[in-house]
């Protein structure tokens, strides 16, 4: 135990006497050597007194005998090299003892530190955690010509007096482990209390250095949250070894609130052949790099770090670029462009060929393993490329002194010549052994050139974030240019955040993978799916001031249980690039090549709905002035307007369904309906509650529920209100032709006699079966591209679509080429970008309210009280939001229907054309002088802003509080959408004059 209290000497002395007596009785060690061997074990191995107080006499005796046997075995070999290795793993304690050369990371053998990470520390959670003590012997082992010492590890399960403390609890005596509290000195407790208090209030690691009275050793203390740094214990050893330090002892203590604290006693190597800086300089560098190690403890190039070929910064930089290259090197190239110019994408056969070629080229050109293999061949080039990156983004925060000790990075930048981009590319051309090698290495230059800002050198961080200039993306593959792009990398995940305009909003989703194969597929499609989702969001945001954005987090295949950790790291690391530094030594300034303030507006999506409140509170705790508007979808107690509780998304979808009925004079009660996304989901449950069609099938995560005679409506309503899957449907209510097939069913029989061999496959393809005939299909859930060009023909019989009406509630459920094929076959389709926009409208108006109120007013008018009382303003504001959603949906529906009647163009094409026309006109309007015409501007804002906000706050205060860029976006989007909805996407040259004249006539 660290600096154990005095009083254990008597226990240790009496223990040694008993052990010597037992050694004499065993008789294995010659009697002349018994006392010296026991004394060596007790006094020269550096083992803490706690070991002697807790281990039995027989166990200690066996360990001494084992060590003596190892000596004898070593001397019996020709090389006379002493190797000692002990392993003992019991439920109540574990002991590892091994020979170890100080300052050297072991890359073979049992690798006990890696085992401790994997078996004990990585899996520690508040109710089952482990503490570690490790000691190094004081002198070298006799007969070890290579300067070997013994390293002993002791691992114990934790026992807490208060296993379930409150979330804000910080008192050491409440949170501490029982043995730690019993044995630690007052000085140790004071240090741990200070570090623990900092760790509770911080997302990232706490790193502090302490002097030790009367010793040249330094004590490095690192605290972090359990489960957030996999492989950290062993990686820390590699870090201080790289800088010529070794440890005499190390401790890992756990606390019942989920905080881990490591304490390392470090000193220089006793005889180091390599010239090293003073220990203060090495420790300064180590403290700078601990948070880098925390982000990715075991990177893809860690072996280069263990061997000393590259430093930690260089290997993690290479790891990050490896991730970057994997997403942006599998591109299509000039051959695909040439082929695409000869084929007509409007011809289904041509489109299918292009689609297959595109998928094949992206998947097979450069695999992640192949890219890793290429990069690993050029450690020298990595060093040179890293220096170029560091020269741009490294900041000496205190000038030449930089904490009075310049970091090694700063010194290298001063003494080594930095190559420019052209020189780097020339060097790569000369050095690369093949064209593929050159392509991969040149991508490093692309990365360096396009990083606008990064938290790579921020002293404390939880993941690595890069704000990239997206102009490097090829137009052929990404025809709509992105405005902003963030890449976030951690050991548990990788993720992007993409936006198409400066002021933009969209959800953050977490993607999970069932197995390594699914992960590989998800990794390859991560960026393209993110881009498509953000692009869809851009099109559906046509009625609101924000453009489209989306964030996608892909969990690593080994960390599927780390969704919350990944989300928190993703959010915090992006905030590093949005907020100015306020805590020197914790959040230092960064190099900002973008040079403008950025605000992101986010919301919930797949697997993140329950994490939104944390993000809101975290933004407030980090001092973000925009914390109220940062996330939508938060709980009502934080001013959020839940989409599911008020049916916001469904209200828009229903307007399109009702519009079809209105135009075609259909009786909704006679419509046969199929729906993906069941009664457990937001969109699915509200679609059931708001509709009155005759459901013939519902497909959700649990399986398929079908009845050609119609499902029982009251039972569906019950499930929707309960928010449960169709697995809970009362099957006694099915007709003789009805059935339910669950995903786990094997060889289940349908009423027709058909045998379903696999329930999962049946569920995934049911919407394509011809017997699933319906009049209306409303996808309310499911994975993107569930209907694409390769399978859409299953829905077309004799040239005619078997489903006449489709309203796409789920994002990207049907690919655009498949929609076109269905429309050519006679289907009426309203796509996601038009139908599924109720949620974004609700979120936008939620953001506007948060920007318009000050903090006090916001809490009073928008936050539901702890006792459940709902502010009167909140109730009425929700109702106004609902009416706005329905009005916007009707306006767009009428515009699409009218233009289809006039031109005969497919509805899904018109939807995109309208979106582009609105977006283009919006951008043009914001550049004109119309905004400066005060009377006209205020007239438009009086129409565009919610009436309740104007009545409650007033125009003057709204203009003062809401950022001008946001108000300009409201002004432009409202004018543009109203004009296009009224005059269409291709108006006459006099139409806008006529439109503006009508508006101007209303100015008093």
């Amino acid at each position: 135990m660290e600096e154990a209290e005095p009083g254990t000497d008597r226990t240790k002395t009496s223990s040694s006497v008993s052990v010597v007596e037992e050694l004499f009785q065993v008789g294995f060690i010659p009697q002349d050597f018994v006392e010296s061997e026991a004394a060596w074990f007790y006094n020269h191995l550096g083992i803490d007194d706690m070991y002697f107080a807790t281990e039995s006499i027989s166990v200690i005796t066996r360990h001494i005998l084992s060590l003596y046997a190892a000596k004898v075995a070593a001397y019996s070999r020709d090389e006379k090299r002493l190797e000692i290795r002990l392993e003992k793993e019991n439920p109540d304690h574990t002991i590892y003892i091994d020979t170890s050369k100080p300052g050297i990371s072991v890359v073979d053998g049992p690798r006990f530190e890696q085992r401790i990470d994997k078996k004990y520390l990585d899996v520690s959670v508040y109710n089952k955690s482990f503490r570690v003590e490790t000691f190094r012997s004081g002198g070298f082992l006799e007969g070890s010509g290579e300067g070997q010492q013994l390293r002993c590890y002791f691992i114990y399960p934790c026992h807490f007096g208060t296993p379930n403390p409150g979330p804000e609890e910080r008192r050491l005596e409440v949170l501490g482990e029982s043995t730690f509290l019993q044995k630690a000195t007052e000085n140790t407790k004071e240090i741990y209390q200070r570090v623990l208090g900092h760790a509770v209030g911080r997302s990232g690691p706490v790193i502090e250095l302490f002097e030790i009275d009367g010793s040249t050793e330094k004590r490095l203390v690192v605290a972090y949250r359990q489960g957030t740094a996999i492989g950290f214990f062993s990686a820390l050893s590699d870090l201080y070894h790289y800088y010529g330090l070794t440890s005499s002892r190390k401790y890992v203590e756990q606390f019942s609130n989920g905080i881990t604290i490591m304490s390392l006693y470090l000193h220089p190597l006793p005889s180091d052949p390599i010239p090293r800086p003073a220990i203060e300089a090495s420790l300064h560098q180590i403290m700078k790099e601990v948070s880098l190690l925390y982000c990715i403890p075991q990177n893809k190039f860690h072996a280069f770090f263990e061997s000393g070929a590259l430093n930690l910064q260089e290997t993690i930089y290479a790891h990050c670029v490896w991730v970057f290259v994997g997403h942006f090197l599998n591109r299509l190239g000039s051959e695909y462009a040439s082929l695409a110019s000869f084929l007509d994408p409007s011809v289904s056969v041509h489109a299918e060929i292009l689609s297959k070629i595109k998928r094949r080229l992206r998947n097979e050109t450069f695999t992640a393993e192949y890219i890793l293999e290429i990069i690993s061949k050029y450690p020298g080039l990595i060093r040179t490329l890293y220096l170029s990156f560091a020269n741009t983004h490294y900041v000496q925060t205190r000038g030449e002194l930089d904490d009075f000790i310049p970091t090694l990075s700063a010194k290298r930048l001063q003494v080594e010549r930095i190559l420019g981009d052209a020189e780097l590319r020339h060097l790569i051309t000369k050095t690369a052994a093949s064209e593929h090698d050159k392509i991969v290495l040149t991508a490093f230059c692309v990365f360096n050139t396009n990083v606008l800002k990064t938290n790579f050198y921020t002293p404390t961080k939880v993941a690595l974030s890069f704000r990239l200039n997206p102009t490097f993306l090829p137009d052929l593959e990404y025809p709509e240019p992105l405005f902003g792009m963030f890449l976030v990398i951690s050991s548990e995940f990788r993720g992007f955040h993409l936006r198409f305009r400066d002021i933009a909003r969209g959800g953050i989703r977490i993607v999970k993978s069932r197995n390594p194969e699914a992960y590989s597929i998800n990794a390859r499609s991560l960026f393209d799916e993110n881009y498509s989702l953000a692009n869809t969001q851009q099109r559906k945001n046509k009625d609101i001031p924000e453009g489209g954005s989306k964030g996608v987090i892909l969990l690593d295949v080994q960390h599927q249980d780390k969704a919350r950790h990944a989300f928190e790291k993703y959010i915090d690391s992006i905030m590093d690039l949005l907020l100015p530094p306020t805590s020197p030594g914790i959040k230092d300034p960064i190099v900002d090549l973008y040079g403008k303030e950025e605000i992101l507006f986010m919301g919930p999506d797949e697997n993140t709905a329950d994490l939104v409140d944390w993000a809101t509170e975290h933004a407030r705790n980090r001092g973000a002035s925009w914390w109220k508007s940062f996330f939508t979808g938060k709980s009502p107690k934080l001013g959020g307007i839940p989409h599911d509780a008020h049916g916001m998304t469904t209200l828009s979808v229903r307007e399109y369904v009702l519009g079809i009925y209105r135009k075609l004079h259909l009786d909704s009660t006679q419509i046969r309906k199929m729906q993906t996304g069941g009664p457990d989901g937001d969109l699915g449950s509200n679609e059931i509650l708001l509709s009155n069609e005759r459901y013939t099938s519902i497909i959700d995560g649990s399986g398929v529920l079908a009845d050609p005679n119609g499902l029982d409506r009251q039972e569906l309503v019950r499930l929707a209100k309960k928010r449960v899957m169709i697995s809970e449907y009362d099957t006694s209510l099915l007709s003789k032709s009805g059935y339910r097939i669950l995903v786990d069913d094997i060889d289940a029989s349908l009423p027709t006699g058909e045998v379903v061999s696999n329930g999962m496959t049946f569920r995934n393809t049911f919407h394509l079966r011809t017997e699933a005939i319906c009049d209306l299909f409303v996808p309310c859930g499911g994975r993107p591209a569930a209907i694409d060009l390769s399978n859409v023909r299953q829905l077309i019989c004799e040239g005619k679509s078997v489903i006449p009406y489709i309203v796409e509630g789920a994002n990207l459920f049907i690919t655009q080429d498949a929609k076109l094929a269905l429309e050519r076959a006679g289907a009426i389709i309203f796509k996601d970008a038009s139908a599924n926009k109720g949620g974004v409208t609700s979120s936008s108006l939620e953001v506007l309210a948060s920007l318009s109120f000050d903090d006090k007013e916001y809490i009073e008018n928008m936050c539901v009280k702890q006792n459940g009382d709902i502010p009167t303003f909140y109730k009425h504001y929700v109702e106004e939001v609902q009416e706005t959603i329905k009005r916007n949906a009707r306006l767009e529906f009428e515009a699409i229907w009218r233009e289809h009647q006039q031109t005969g163009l497919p509805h899904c094409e018109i939807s995109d054309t309208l979106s582009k026309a609105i977006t283009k006109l919006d951008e043009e309007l914001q550049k004109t002088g119309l905004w400066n015409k005060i009377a006209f501007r205020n007239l438009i804002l009086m129409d565009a802003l919610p009436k309740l906000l104007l009545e409650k706050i007033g125009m003057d205060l709204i203009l003062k509080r809401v950022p001008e860029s946001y108000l300009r976006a409201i002004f432009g989007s409202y004018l543009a959408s109203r004009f296009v909805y009224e005059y269409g996407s291709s108006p006459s040259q006099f139409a806008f004059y006529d439109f503006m004249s009508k508006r101007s006539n209303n100015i008093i």
Side-chain angles (χ1 to χ4, degrees), residues 20 78 177 310 365 424 441 465 474 499 537 548 571 628 652 667 716 831-832 882 909 981:
V20 168
D78 291 338
E177 197 272 340
L310 294 172
T365 310
L424 286 170
L441 294 169
S465 56
R499 74 189 199 273
Q537 196 80 25
I571 294 299
K628 302 189 299 295
S652 179
D667 180 356
L716 291 179
K831 67 184 299 180
D832 51 356
Q882 291 173 322
E909 278 192 359
Y981 288 156

Side-chain angles (χ1 to χ4, degrees), residues 317-349:
Y317 161 78
H319 178 98
C320 292
V321 183
W322 169 75
V323 172
F324 173 85
V325 172
H327 288 291
F328 301 111
L329 205 61
N330 294 348
R331 304 301 92 185
L332 307 181
S334 58
E335 294 85 355
Y336 177 84
S338 300
L339 181 61
S341 66
F342 285 107
L343 298 178
D344 184 357
S346 65
V347 177
S348 60
V349 176

Side-chain angles (χ1 to χ4, degrees), residues 578-709:
L578 302 178
L579 294 171
T582 55
S583 308
I586 299 173
K587 298 294 183 186
D588 281 346
I590 61 174
V591 175
D592 185 359
L593 301 180
Y594 180 64
K596 302 174 186 176
E597 182 183 13
E598 289 189 281
I599 302 176
L600 302 183
F601 299 105
M602 301 179 179
D605 205 314
E606 291 180 13
N607 299 310
T608 61
D610 60 337
L611 304 174
V612 167
D613 282 5
W614 175 87
T616 303
E617 297 282 15
H618 188 62
R620 175 159 58 177
N621 293 339
R622 284 200 60 175
S625 60
W626 32 261
W627 69 269
K628 302 189 299 295
S629 60
F630 183 40
F631 257 87
T632 56
K634 51 191 177 287
S635 65
K637 68 182 178 66
L638 290 172
I641 302 177
H643 297 174
D644 56 350
H646 302 289
M648 298 303 192
T649 307
T650 309
L651 287 171
S652 179
V653 174
R654 287 302 300 171
E655 284 301 317
Y656 283 84
V657 173
L658 295 174
I660 293 172
Y661 298 160
R662 186 172 63 250
K663 294 295 184 182
L664 300 179
H665 308 291
L666 299 174
D667 180 356
S668 61
T669 62
Q670 301 303 308
I671 295 293
R672 298 169 299 172
K673 180 177 180 180
M674 177 170 66
Q675 177 179 309
T676 56
D680 61 310
D682 166 15
L683 189 52
S685 63
N686 282 300
E687 179 65 22
I688 290 171
L689 294 173
L690 293 177
S691 65
N692 63 347
E693 296 90 2
R694 182 159 58 96
Y695 275 93
T696 54
S697 57
I698 295 180
I699 305 102
D700 69 8
S702 66
V704 175
L705 180 68
D707 193 332
N709 297 314

Side-chain angles (χ1 to χ4, degrees), residues 364-645:
E364 298 182 359
T365 310
F366 288 88
T367 65
E369 294 75 17
Y370 184 39
I371 295 168
L372 181 63
E373 178 186 329
I374 289 174
I375 297 173
S376 298
K377 293 191 293 187
Y378 300 95
L381 269 178
I382 290 174
R383 291 174 64 89
T384 304
L385 289 159
Y386 167 75
L387 276 178
S388 173
F389 172 83
N391 185 52
T392 300
H393 295 284
Y394 180 77
V395 178
Q396 278 188 262
T397 56
R398 291 160 183 80
E400 290 298 318
L401 294 178
D402 197 10
D403 283 344
F404 305 103
I405 306 168
T407 65
L408 302 186
S409 297
K411 289 183 176 179
R412 281 189 63 197
L413 291 174
Q414 293 169 5
V415 301
E416 298 189 32
R417 194 170 84 83
I418 312 300
L419 301 184
D421 184 64
E423 292 176 298
L424 286 170
R425 290 174 184 267
H426 180 64
L427 178 62
I428 289 169
T429 300
K430 289 195 306 180
T431 309
S434 70
E435 186 63 24
H436 277 189
D437 291 12
K438 177 184 174 183
I439 291 171
V440 170
L441 294 169
T442 302
F444 277 74
C445 296
V446 175
F447 178 81
N448 285 1
T449 304
N450 288 283
V451 174
L452 298 177
K453 49 185 172 179
T454 177
N455 69 348
F456 193 92
Y457 297 103
T458 301
T460 61
K461 50 190 167 287
V462 295
L464 295 167
S465 56
F466 304 89
R467 168 58 161 96
L468 296 164
N469 182 347
T471 54
F472 69 89
L473 295 172
D475 295 340
L476 174 66
E477 300 174 61
Y478 305 104
E480 297 294 331
L482 286 168
F483 181 90
M485 176 179 177
F486 289 84
L487 169 62
V488 185
I489 301 171
S490 173
S491 57
E492 299 94 348
F493 71 95
R494 63 183 64 177
F496 289 98
H497 186 275
L498 310 177
R499 74 189 199 273
F500 280 91
R501 284 167 60 178
D502 185 13
I503 304 295
R505 72 162 308 282
I508 309 299
R509 67 170 50 182
I510 295 175
V511 176
K512 298 182 178 182
S513 309
R514 293 173 65 92
N515 50 49
E517 180 184 4
Y519 174 79
S520 178
I521 294 170
N522 289 335
R524 286 198 299 265
S525 63
L526 175 64
F527 181 81
D528 288 343
E529 180 174 325
N530 197 159
Y531 179 89
S532 297
L533 288 167
N535 200 10
T536 299
Q537 196 80 25
Q538 169 76 357
R539 294 195 300 272
K540 74 166 68 169
N541 285 14
K542 60 182 77 69
D543 298 324
I544 62 176
E546 302 98 336
S549 71
K550 207 73 171 182
V552 178
I553 300 167
L554 175 64
L555 295 178
D556 184 80
V557 68
Q558 301 296 331
H559 299 292
Q560 295 297 299
D561 60 337
K562 294 290 196 304
R564 185 178 187 91
H565 287 320
F567 178 83
E568 292 181 359
K569 289 184 175 185
Y570 174 89
I571 294 299
D572 189 70
S573 61
I574 287 180
M575 290 178 66
D576 285 345
L577 305 185
L578 302 178
L579 294 171
T582 55
S583 308
I586 299 173
K587 298 294 183 186
D588 281 346
I590 61 174
V591 175
D592 185 359
L593 301 180
Y594 180 64
K596 302 174 186 176
E597 182 183 13
E598 289 189 281
I599 302 176
L600 302 183
F601 299 105
M602 301 179 179
D605 205 314
E606 291 180 13
N607 299 310
T608 61
D610 60 337
L611 304 174
V612 167
D613 282 5
W614 175 87
T616 303
E617 297 282 15
H618 188 62
R620 175 159 58 177
N621 293 339
R622 284 200 60 175
S625 60
W626 32 261
W627 69 269
K628 302 189 299 295
S629 60
F630 183 40
F631 257 87
T632 56
K634 51 191 177 287
S635 65
K637 68 182 178 66
L638 290 172
I641 302 177
H643 297 174
D644 56 350

Side-chain angles (χ1 to χ4, degrees), residues 289-300:
E289 295 190 359
V290 164
S291 72
L292 201 58
L293 193 70
Y294 171 84
C295 295
I296 312 177
Q298 304 291 334
N299 70 76
K300 288 291 182 181

